[in-house]
Amino acid sequence: MSDWEQLQCLSGEAFALVLLRQDPVFGRIPPEQYGYYIRQGIRAGQQAAEQWTLPELTRRLEEDRVEVCRSEETPPMDIHSEYCPAENGRGAVIRLYCPTLEKIRAAAQRRGIPVTMEQLEQLHLAHEFYHHLEHCGGGDVSLTSKPVEVRLLGVIRRPRAVRSLREIAAHTFARAVCASPCHPLAWDWLLLNEEDENRAKAFLRLCQQAEQSVKGA
């Protein structure tokens, strides 16, 4: 089985744990609570996806006057897309970075994986649309989930939201609405593999370890 096929077989929970591990407060989360946060993020994305289709979200963006910008600029760190809320009199913008998406499409083509630029754009548009819903009062799962207690200077206790839940939810939402055959992070892996095979293999191992962790939970 190829690395790509192994990634496709992994569960959404495994990818969610990978995202959770990147959170600044991850080290403060008790291991027995990992499952709780993973479920919170995935559930938020699934529930939102039940209410939207691609044509409906496109209409909503038009109604909200959100500009969808297909940028030909090469972004730093190979950013795929971003949501910029309305501010200072300017409307909200969803920016899709076509050079990065084209790299993913070309990498997929070289592996014989069928995906079009339109499908990749839709996947990333849906992801940023989820963040638009959050901004418009649709609910921020990181704020409705239990905060993690952090200590400042070793003494002062402060609650901190687990912000990575927003990304877990947005990825879940995008995959469901676009009926993607794999998790969005798997598409990202194609680009990583083109640029650094060693990092790509390390990422695959990380995902596989996460799969074992969630199965054993």
Side-chain angles (χ1 to χ4, degrees):
M1 185 181 293
S2 70
D3 288 355
W4 170 253
E5 290 170 330
Q6 291 180 62
L7 274 173
Q8 283 186 297
C9 292
L10 298 178
S11 66
E13 287 78 7
F15 287 108
L17 179 55
V18 169
L19 290 166
L20 185 65
R21 287 184 181 278
Q22 297 172 11
D23 197 286
V25 301
F26 177 75
R28 300 292 182 178
I29 302 174
E32 63 271 17
Q33 289 293 307
Y34 295 168
Y36 164 76
Y37 288 106
I38 287 170
R39 289 189 295 273
Q40 287 290 99
I42 290 177
R43 186 184 299 117
Q46 289 175 336
Q47 289 178 345
E50 291 170 0
Q51 303 173 43
W52 295 93
T53 63
L54 277 171
E56 288 170 345
L57 70 82
T58 300
R59 283 195 295 272
R60 172 65 182 269
L61 291 173
E62 291 173 353
E63 291 169 2
D64 291 352
R65 298 185 179 180
V66 178
E67 179 186 359
V68 178
C69 172
R70 289 171 174 80
S71 175
E72 293 301 328
E73 296 179 8
T74 301
M77 304 297 291
D78 279 321
I79 295 172
H80 302 44
S81 58
E82 60 183 341
Y83 173 69
C84 305
E87 57 181 16
N88 300 325
R90 299 179 61 181
V93 176
I94 289 177
R95 191 168 285 109
L96 305 175
Y97 287 100
C98 296
T100 306
L101 299 184
E102 174 55 32
K103 286 181 183 179
I104 296 174
R105 189 207 63 78
Q109 184 179 47
R110 281 189 281 274
R111 284 177 166 265
I113 302 166
V115 67
T116 65
M117 270 293 284
E118 181 182 11
Q119 288 171 321
L120 290 172
E121 286 184 358
Q122 288 174 343
L123 187 66
H124 289 80
L125 181 67
H127 181 107
E128 303 306 338
F129 175 78
Y130 182 85
H131 292 315
H132 176 64
L133 289 179
E134 289 178 318
H135 185 74
C136 294
D140 181 338
V141 63
S142 71
L143 299 180
T144 56
S145 301
K146 291 186 295 189
V148 174
E149 186 179 272
V150 229
R151 292 195 176 198
L152 304 178
L153 305 176
V155 180
I156 306 170
R157 297 181 178 182
R158 290 287 185 271
R160 290 289 183 268
V162 183
R163 304 299 291 174
S164 59
L165 298 188
R166 298 177 61 230
E167 288 304 298
I168 293 172
H171 280 311
T172 302
F173 175 85
R175 181 180 186 180
V177 169
C178 297
S180 174
C182 61
H183 193 277
L185 287 186
W187 293 113
D188 293 354
W189 177 87
L190 286 172
L191 180 56
L192 179 62
N193 191 60
E194 291 279 305
E195 298 175 345
D196 191 330
E197 288 188 12
N198 289 331
R199 284 182 61 204
K201 287 188 179 298
F203 179 74
L204 173 60
R205 287 195 297 271
L206 184 67
C207 293
Q208 290 172 327
Q209 290 166 4
E211 184 74 85
Q212 292 304 313
S213 294
V214 296
K215 281 183 177 178

